[in-house]
């Protein structure tokens, strides 16, 4: 290789390195801008949730949600929800649990025949850690069907979700005699320090 060829090779190599560095710098700037925008959107998202107090007890059938902030389709990036819910139904904020030292724990209302309460936990910079439906979701309108659903989150972040149900068999004449059944469907769980939601399987208890 001649000296001129060597100089040319070095020049091309340095130009290539500079272009690569420039591209990496541009990508880093774009990434930072996107992240900053996401942080701003996440803060606006959290502002829709009122601060709750623990212990917290929610009677889901008695919920009045008209005053709760609507979560827009713009906020859907933070939740595991069907985009159609944001277009055709109202997804609403319920509240923010008070312990925000390590993460943010929000409860929101997912559209259904009866709104389902969902708990979602985020890191401090808005990345979703875990998400679980707290509602039992078994209430219905069948013949002689009656239910009362309660969700409780204690100060130690343990969780108890229960649905007290009364039902019976029915025919064309109405409720069948001596078929009335009373039982409780429930699940228990907790929120760990790192923001993981642990819930048991649904358990049925007679009486």
């Amino acid at each position: 290789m001649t000296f001129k060829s060597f100089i040319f090779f070095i020049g091309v190599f340095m130009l290539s390195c500079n272009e690569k560095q420039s591209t990496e710098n541009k990508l880093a700037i774009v990434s930072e801008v996107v992240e900053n925008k996401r942080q701003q959107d996440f803060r606006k998202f959290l502002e829709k949730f009122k601060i709750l107090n623990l212990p917290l007890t929610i009677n889901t059938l008695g919920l009045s949600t008209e005053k709760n902030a609507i979560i827009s389709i713009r906020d859907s990036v933070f939740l595991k929800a069907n985009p159609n819910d944001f277009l055709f139904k109202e997804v609403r904020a319920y509240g923010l649990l008070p312990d925000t030292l390590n993460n943010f724990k929000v409860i929101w209302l997912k559209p259904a025949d009866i709104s389902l309460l969902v708990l979602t936990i985020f890191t401090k910079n808005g990345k979703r850690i875990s998400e679980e439906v707290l509602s039992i979701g078994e209430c219905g309108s069948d013949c002689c069907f009656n239910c009362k659903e309660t969700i409780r989150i204690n100060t130690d972040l343990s969780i108890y979700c229960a649905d007290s149900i009364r039902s019976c068999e029915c025919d064309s004449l109405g409720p069948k005699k001596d078929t009335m059944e009373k039982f409780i469907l429930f699940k228990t769980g907790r929120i760990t320090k790192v923001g993981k939601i642990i819930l048991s399987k649904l358990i049925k208890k007679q009486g």
Side-chain angles (χ1 to χ4, degrees):
M1 179 182 293
T2 65
F3 180 73
K4 287 184 178 180
S5 298
F6 178 74
I7 294 298
F8 176 77
F9 175 78
I10 293 298
V12 171
F13 178 76
M14 292 180 66
L15 180 62
S16 176
C17 288
N18 289 337
E19 289 179 349
K20 182 179 180 181
Q21 187 65 44
S22 177
T23 300
E24 289 176 350
N25 289 341
K26 288 178 181 178
L27 289 175
I29 292 172
V30 170
S31 178
E32 184 178 354
V33 170
V34 170
E35 183 61 25
N36 288 340
K37 178 65 169 59
R38 191 179 188 282
Q39 290 291 323
Q40 293 173 8
D41 290 343
F42 183 62
R43 284 194 293 269
K44 290 179 181 178
F45 168 73
L46 288 180
E47 289 172 359
K48 296 183 176 183
F49 294 83
K50 62 184 179 181
I51 301 295
L52 303 169
N53 295 315
L54 294 178
L56 172 69
T57 300
I58 306 171
N59 295 314
T60 61
L61 296 183
L63 281 179
S64 176
T65 63
E66 293 180 359
K67 295 182 179 179
N68 294 66
I70 294 176
I71 299 177
S72 67
I73 193 168
R74 182 178 179 179
D75 300 317
S76 63
V77 295
F78 300 113
L79 305 171
K80 288 182 183 176
N82 188 329
N84 289 334
D85 288 342
F86 296 89
L87 293 174
F88 305 112
K89 300 177 182 179
E90 290 186 348
V91 180
R92 289 186 180 264
Y94 184 77
L96 173 68
L97 297 186
D99 181 8
T100 59
L101 181 63
N102 299 313
N103 44 56
F104 295 109
K105 309 170 188 68
V106 304
I107 297 175
W108 54 283
L109 297 163
K110 182 177 182 179
D113 291 338
I114 297 174
S115 294
L116 302 176
L117 272 83
V118 184
L119 172 63
T120 306
I121 303 181
F122 301 93
T123 63
K124 299 293 281 188
N125 61 2
K127 293 182 179 179
R128 189 169 58 237
I129 301 173
S130 57
E131 182 171 283
E132 294 289 345
V133 176
L134 299 180
S135 297
I136 303 297
E138 294 293 328
C139 286
S141 56
D142 294 338
C143 175
C144 74
F145 192 98
N146 182 273
C147 68
K148 180 181 179 182
E149 185 179 67
T150 302
I151 294 170
R152 183 175 177 85
I153 302 177
N154 300 303
T155 53
D156 63 355
L157 297 181
S158 59
I159 300 170
Y160 178 73
C161 312
D163 197 352
S164 300
I165 296 173
R166 184 186 67 188
S167 67
C168 68
E169 296 179 17
C170 300
D171 57 23
S172 58
L173 299 177
K176 290 184 178 180
K177 191 175 181 180
D178 300 326
T179 62
M180 180 63 69
E181 182 184 15
K182 294 181 181 180
F183 58 93
I184 298 174
L185 294 175
F186 70 94
K187 53 187 175 182
T188 61
R190 60 190 175 88
I191 303 170
T192 70
K193 290 184 179 180
V194 296
K196 181 71 175 177
I197 306 166
I198 299 174
L199 285 177
S200 70
K201 293 182 179 180
L202 202 58
I203 302 169
K204 183 176 181 179
K205 181 181 178 181
Q206 296 292 336

